[in-house]
């Protein structure tokens, strides 16, 4: 974690943006690790939910998240049955530093213990609808164990709200989702009172990345959770 990068922004209680937290060498390191793991037989694949294809490619580390039953397991049960690659220690250390920085900026965010990482790659047309991360254990969710989201590559618009999406559409005067831009090297942490935020990716900004970052087009997003 790059110390004192561009500062911590508390967007609301439990939601912290660490702007420019990862320097370019760290971003390139994330790309190299994900590239090496992603081309393996148990690497990136195109996930499908009960509603159809997701607009991204996914790889799980530490445990596999099955989008059909929304449960975690040791094998890629909805794909090919292969075992899941372990979560690399170097990636976890990166996240641990970010989580500590977020807790320092917002004490309502509790500490995070090692768990799982979902790696998503979005093309320029990629997106992800508003949802909650709620497949983790009841104990983890109850204590507000944070989700740590790392962005590398093209910038995106990240939407978030406490209101269930269809409720916001139906209710008169209901608060609309807020949005924040996430650039390459940003780390977003939400936990404690913000753990169950509805959130999603509404837009990818093509070719908005560090000039010297070497990776394919699109956005790489790593989200770390406690099981």
């Amino acid at each position: 974690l790059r110390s004192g990068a561009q500062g911590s922004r508390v967007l609301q209680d439990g939601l912290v943006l660490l702007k420019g937290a990862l320097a370019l060498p760290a971003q390139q390191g994330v790309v190299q690790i994900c590239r090496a793991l992603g081309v393996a037989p148990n690497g990136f694949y195109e996930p499908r939910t009960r509603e159809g294809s997701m607009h991204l490619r996914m790889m799980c580390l530490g445990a596999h998240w099955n989008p059909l039953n929304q449960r975690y397991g040791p094998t890629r049960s909805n794909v090919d049955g292969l075992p899941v690659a372990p979560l690399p220690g170097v990636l976890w250390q990166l996240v641990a530093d970010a989580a500590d920085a977020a807790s320092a900026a917002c004490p309502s965010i509790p500490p995070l213990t090692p768990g799982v990482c979902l790696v998503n790659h979005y093309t320029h047309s990629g997106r992800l609808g508003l949802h909650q991360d709620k497949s983790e254990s009841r104990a983890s969710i109850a204590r507000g164990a944070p989700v740590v989201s790392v962005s590398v590559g093209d910038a995106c618009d990240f939407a978030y709200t406490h209101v269930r999406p269809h409720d916001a559409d139906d209710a008169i005067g209901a608060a609309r989702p807020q949005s924040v831009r996430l650039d390459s090297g940003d780390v977003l942490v939400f936990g404690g009172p913000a753990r169950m935020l509805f959130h999603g990716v509404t837009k990818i900004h093509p070719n908005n990345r560090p000039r010297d970052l070497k990776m394919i087009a699109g956005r790489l997003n790593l989200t770390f959770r406690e099981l």
Side-chain angles (χ1 to χ4, degrees):
L1 190 69
R2 181 167 62 188
S3 177
Q6 298 175 38
S8 302
R9 292 172 52 194
V10 180
L11 303 178
Q12 64 179 61
D13 191 18
L15 176 62
V16 177
L17 173 59
L18 304 169
K19 196 68 183 172
L22 299 187
L24 183 60
Q27 296 176 44
Q28 195 64 62
V30 169
V31 171
Q32 291 171 351
I33 292 170
C34 292
R35 180 186 294 136
L37 293 169
V39 298
N42 58 353
F44 284 107
Y45 79 103
E46 296 182 4
R48 293 182 62 87
T49 66
R50 293 175 180 174
E51 287 73 37
S53 296
M54 300 175 68
H55 300 278
L56 51 81
R57 292 177 60 81
M58 179 182 290
M59 170 177 64
C60 300
L61 304 173
H64 180 73
W65 180 70
N66 182 331
L68 295 176
N69 60 23
Q70 298 193 357
R71 295 178 180 175
Y72 288 103
T75 62
R76 296 165 31 125
S77 53
N78 62 310
V79 190
D80 47 28
L82 291 175
V84 182
L87 176 58
V90 64
L91 284 182
W92 179 249
Q93 187 55 50
L94 179 157
V95 171
D97 292 343
D100 288 344
S103 293
C106 185
S108 65
I109 298 177
L112 182 64
T113 56
V116 64
C117 176
L118 271 59
V119 185
N120 292 334
H121 177 258
Y122 298 81
T123 64
H124 290 162
S125 61
R127 62 187 184 278
L128 184 61
L130 288 170
H131 65 284
Q132 292 174 308
D133 292 340
K134 55 183 180 181
S135 298
E136 294 71 36
S137 70
R138 290 183 180 179
S140 175
I141 292 175
R143 80 177 193 88
V147 174
V148 179
S149 172
V150 179
S151 295
V152 177
D154 291 324
C156 81
D157 291 337
F158 178 89
Y160 60 95
T161 178
H162 275 291
V163 182
R164 190 181 304 273
H166 65 261
D167 290 343
D169 292 338
D170 295 339
I172 297 175
R176 297 294 178 179
Q178 295 177 274
S179 181
V180 63
R181 175 167 166 145
L182 300 180
D183 294 300
S184 192
D186 289 353
V187 176
L188 186 73
V189 181
F190 54 99
R195 174 60 178 82
M196 295 307 291
L197 275 176
F198 290 92
H199 58 282
V201 174
T202 57
K203 180 179 176 62
I204 303 295
H205 297 275
N207 306 314
N208 280 265
R209 64 166 71 192
R211 179 178 300 176
D212 295 328
L213 181 66
K214 297 177 175 61
M215 68 170 278
I216 62 174
R219 172 181 182 249
L220 196 61
N221 175 229
L222 291 75
T223 60
F224 298 79
R225 304 102 181 274
E226 177 182 295
L227 292 179

